[in-house]
Every structure is written in C-alpha cells, then in structure tokens.
Amino acid sequence: MQGALEDFFRALRAADVKVSPVEAIDAHLTVAKVGFSDRELFKDALCATLAKTADEVVRFDATFDTFFARDQVSFTPPPPSGQDGGDPMDGLPPEAAESDLARMLLEGDAASIAQAMEEAAERAQVSQIRLSTQRSRLTRRLLEEMGLAQIEAIINAARKLEGGGDAADRLEAGKRKLAEEAQRYVARQHELYASGSGKMLREEMLARKALNAEGGIDPVDQAMMQALVKKMAKRLADRYSRRRNRAKRGHMDIRRTLRKSMPYGGMPFEVIWKTEKIDKPSIVCICDVSKSVAAAAQFLLTFLYSLNEVVDRMEAYAFSGRLISVNNILDDEHVDGAIFEVLKRIGFQQTDYGKSLEDFCENHLDHVDRHTTVIFLGDGRSNYADPRLDLMATIQKRARSVIWLNPEPESYWSQGDSVMYRYERFCHVAKTCNTLGQLERIIEDVLRTYVPH
C-alpha cells in the first residue's frame, strides 16, 4: 500500500495540493494507525493530515474519489454459436490455451481483467503520464503488456482454421472491448496525474511571452497572465514573510546571555536574542504607459499591488507626456482596468521623460527616502527632449536604490532617441525586463535586499 500512497501524493501535488516530505511521513503514520478497512475514516484522516486550506480540502476530496475509484469493467461476449454452455475457447487454435487473457475475454471475467490491467499499467508506467498527447501511446503500451500481440496472433490463426471464424469474431469483439477499457483507464490516469500539466505548460510559456505591443496578448492569455502574476506575487510574499519571521528571532546574543547568567552561577536561565530591525519594502513605481510599454506597466502594477502583505508602502505614478499619481485609480478600478483609465487621462501624448521627472520631483519627491526603492519602467525613449539627468541624480541620492526595468534589449539602449545609456549610471540596477519570469526574479531581488543575512 506504500506505493499506492506515494502515487496518491503525486496525484495531490498535480491537483495543486502541496504535500511536503514531512507531511507524507505523517500521512504514512496516520494510515498505520487508522488502517484501510473504514473508507470514510481513512479519507478523513488523510484529509486532516494533508489538506491545509478550504480550497485544498475540495481538491483533496475530488482527487481521493478519482484515485480510489475503480470503474466497473463488464465483458459480456456472446456464447459460442450452437453450443450454449460449452467451452468458450472452442474453435481457437491450440496455442490459445496458453493465453490467460484470451480466456478472460471470452468468459467475460471482469474482475480478472481489471486486476490484469492494474498490473500491466504498473509495468507500462502509465502513472508517469504528463501530457494528453501521451494517451494513445500509453494505451497501446498497456495493451501490449496485457498480451495484445498474442491475442492478435490467436485471432489470425483462428481465421485460418475451418469453423474458427465464429471464435475469432468473438475474440475480436473482446479485444475491441478491452481497448475501450484501456482507453478509459489511461484517461483516468491522465486526469489524476496530468490534468494540470497543460495549464502549467501554458503558464510557463506565458511567463516567457514578451510584454510589448507588437507581441499581441489576446484576451484569454490576458486573463491567464493576470492570474499568473497574482500567483507569482503570492509565492514571493510567502517566501519573504518566512524569511522575515526567522530574521525577527535572530541569533542568540552570547555576551548578553552570559552577563544575565552571572547571578545564577553561570546557568543561562534567561536567553537573550540578537535583534535586528527589518524594514518592510517601501516602493515608488514610475511607469511609462505609452503604447510600446503599456502592457508591461499593467503587469508590473498588478504584481506590486498583489504584494500587500510584504510591501509597507507603494506609490504608483504613470506618465507619457506629464506625470500623475495613479494610486486612486488603482484603488477605484482595481488594477485590471486601471491602465485603460490612465490612458484616457494621459495616454497618446508625446513621451517626455525629462518633463515627467520634473513633475515627480516638484510634487512627489518627499515620498522618496532612504527606505525607498524607486522602480522605473520604460524604454528610455524621450523623443530627443532634455532627459533631466540632474533630477535622476537627485532621486538616486535620496533613495535606497533605483531600479530601471526596460522592455527593450540592451543593444537598443543607445540607438535612436533612447537615452537609457545615460540614465543607467544613476541606477543601482538596470535590466531588460519584458517577460513575467524576468519581472518575478527582479522583484524577488528587491525584496531580498530588505532581509538581513
């Protein structure tokens, strides 16, 4: 049963129910206590051990019912013509006597066929299915492990015998029924172990999809990418929160602990821990929402606003010609439709980075201090206007760090009207960022700088 439980844990992981090695050990110990005789007790005990949220309970129930269910296999082949009650193997060549599968099919022994299919599936490693395109190949492999080649040889030999056509037809019908059952079995394994693999593959592709106007993001991908951004943000929030909680505890302060223990003859009755102040990230985000980078800006803002548990303060600004604060827009519109509302107000203007920096420094510079990370998102193309490098220098001096995310490759940073190569010297980090995967890695680097090591 240990192997079956391990397969069940894999099915749970495929259904997005996280099962750690420690939880798997706890589940094995639980099963050893409650046993398998009472199905409901067995299910409830595993659920209490492995499912940690209400959503996971729902997914656990569905996976359990699918994994431990066995479809009824029914084989009712017609009896041999004119010999009711006779041996169903009559009319077959002598070598058919060596085939247990042939007798099962002709007798309609459903229980034996189901058991043989389970054993053959283990040999064929059907549970390793990952993609829907593997279903046909694994079905064929399952049938071959059950002895399909021998059945086909028996059918061919029976058709060459005088009077063997009826037996061959009955065995052929049993073979077709067996193939249908094998297809159902493999489909159920796909549902258990690979139903989410297609979605995961699609998410991996979307994480690498370029976020630019030329790339073209259709509405279906847009919705999936929004969900993917929120999932990435939650993953980072969980990871950062764990690090932050560990850092709060710190390490033992040996000198202070020894001083405290002196009245007790050196016995450390009171342990003193080192304390470190940990700042929550404070982020100022300045986004170019001109047509070429609007998509990247939308996902960046979605990402940052999804980090509510981690980010202490987030100020968002957008510009194309002039710069405005978009915090209220994001709050009112929720981030999904905020970009479209921003475009109504300041979109379709001639991009002017220098004027936007001037607006920011005149009206919002007091939001930048030594705890603040300033994130710019833009291609640095200012239509040959004054880039106001003096204002970039001012922001750099006040901020904890300045990060610039540019959707264009670095080879473009000095071409045409791009002044990115001039802004780069005032940035602590300047990187190409035109996919969700790159965005996640860069934001993780930002969060890591706030965690003491």
Side-chain angles (χ1 to χ4, degrees), residues 344-411:
K344 289 180 183 178
R345 300 192 185 185
I346 61 170
F348 310 106
Q349 300 176 12
Q350 188 175 19
T351 308
D352 189 338
Y353 277 77
K355 188 61 180 176
S356 301
L357 289 172
E358 182 180 327
D359 291 341
F360 177 79
C361 290
E362 286 181 0
N363 303 312
H364 310 289
L365 190 60
D366 55 343
H367 289 148
V368 179
D369 56 31
R370 63 185 182 86
H371 302 292
T372 305
T373 297
V374 179
I375 299 178
F376 285 89
L377 177 69
D379 54 14
R381 295 190 175 275
S382 193
N383 293 298
Y384 301 102
D386 183 0
R388 295 302 304 269
L389 301 181
D390 56 320
L391 299 181
M392 274 296 295
T394 300
I395 294 172
Q396 182 202 34
K397 291 176 183 177
R398 293 177 63 97
R400 178 189 181 115
S401 61
V402 177
I403 297 174
W404 196 298
L405 310 181
N406 193 324
E408 292 188 344
E410 287 191 34
S411 57

Side-chain angles (χ1 to χ4, degrees), residues 202-203 205-234 236 283 285-307 314 316-318 326 330 334-340 342-343 375-378 405 407 433-443:
R202 184 63 179 160
E203 287 183 349
M205 294 176 59
L206 291 176
R208 298 192 296 268
K209 185 178 178 67
L211 303 175
N212 53 43
E214 291 76 14
I217 302 176
D218 61 49
V220 176
D221 286 350
Q222 185 93 359
M224 288 190 68
M225 292 175 85
Q226 291 284 4
L228 180 59
V229 165
K230 292 174 183 177
K231 181 194 260 185
M232 288 177 171
K234 184 179 184 304
L236 284 183
I283 294 177
C285 181
I286 303 175
C287 293
D288 179 357
V289 292
S290 59
K291 181 180 178 182
S292 60
V293 292
Q298 181 175 6
F299 290 114
L300 172 63
L301 294 176
T302 302
F303 204 114
L304 295 176
Y305 263 79
S306 299
L307 291 171
M314 211 279 277
Y317 304 92
V326 296
L330 291 169
H334 307 289
V335 89
D336 299 342
I339 291 295
F340 303 105
V342 171
L343 289 175
I375 299 178
F376 285 89
L377 177 69
L405 310 181
C433 179
N434 59 9
T435 70
L436 295 183
Q438 292 172 340
L439 178 60
E440 180 186 21
R441 289 192 293 272
I442 293 171
I443 297 300

Side-chain angles (χ1 to χ4, degrees), residues 130-343:
R130 290 294 176 269
L131 301 171
S132 60
T133 53
Q134 296 175 291
R135 289 167 61 167
S136 297
R137 180 170 59 86
L138 287 174
T139 300
R140 181 69 185 183
R141 185 187 297 176
L142 171 60
L143 291 170
E144 289 173 351
E145 289 290 342
M146 293 187 72
L148 179 65
Q150 187 179 20
I151 296 297
E152 291 175 340
I154 292 172
I155 293 173
N156 291 333
R159 293 196 186 281
K160 296 177 182 178
L161 296 176
E162 185 177 353
D166 178 67
D169 290 342
R170 287 185 291 107
L171 190 56
E172 181 75 36
K175 187 189 81 168
R176 287 195 297 271
K177 181 64 175 176
L178 180 65
E180 293 174 4
E181 294 296 334
Q183 289 174 349
R184 290 173 56 196
Y185 183 90
V186 173
R188 189 162 65 85
Q189 300 305 300
H190 177 268
E191 181 183 355
L192 275 172
Y193 299 109
S195 58
S197 61
K199 181 180 178 183
M200 292 173 61
L201 181 63
R202 184 63 179 160
E203 287 183 349
E204 290 177 6
M205 294 176 59
L206 291 176
R208 298 192 296 268
K209 185 178 178 67
L211 303 175
N212 53 43
E214 291 76 14
I217 302 176
D218 61 49
V220 176
D221 286 350
Q222 185 93 359
M224 288 190 68
M225 292 175 85
Q226 291 284 4
L228 180 59
V229 165
K230 292 174 183 177
K231 181 194 260 185
M232 288 177 171
K234 184 179 184 304
R235 181 167 61 239
L236 284 183
D238 292 344
R239 186 182 306 165
Y240 175 79
S241 296
R242 288 196 295 271
R243 288 177 176 174
R244 188 171 185 272
N245 291 336
R246 286 201 301 268
K248 280 183 177 179
R249 183 69 173 172
H251 304 281
M252 186 174 70
D253 191 325
I254 297 176
R255 286 186 289 184
R256 292 180 63 195
T257 300
L258 289 176
R259 283 198 296 270
K260 281 283 187 179
S261 65
M262 290 178 64
Y264 310 106
M267 297 298 292
F269 287 111
E270 186 177 352
V271 177
I272 307 299
W273 299 95
K274 290 182 179 179
T275 58
E276 294 180 284
K277 183 180 179 184
I278 304 171
D279 296 324
K280 268 191 168 185
S282 174
I283 294 177
V284 168
C285 181
I286 303 175
C287 293
D288 179 357
V289 292
S290 59
K291 181 180 178 182
S292 60
V293 292
Q298 181 175 6
F299 290 114
L300 172 63
L301 294 176
T302 302
F303 204 114
L304 295 176
Y305 263 79
S306 299
L307 291 171
N308 291 329
E309 299 176 9
V310 177
V311 178
D312 182 45
R313 179 173 59 89
M314 211 279 277
E315 300 289 336
Y317 304 92
F319 71 91
S320 56
R322 303 302 297 263
L323 179 140
I324 63 171
S325 172
V326 296
N327 289 308
N328 293 334
I329 299 175
L330 291 169
D331 291 337
D332 296 340
E333 298 291 332
H334 307 289
V335 89
D336 299 342
I339 291 295
F340 303 105
E341 182 63 28
V342 171
L343 289 175

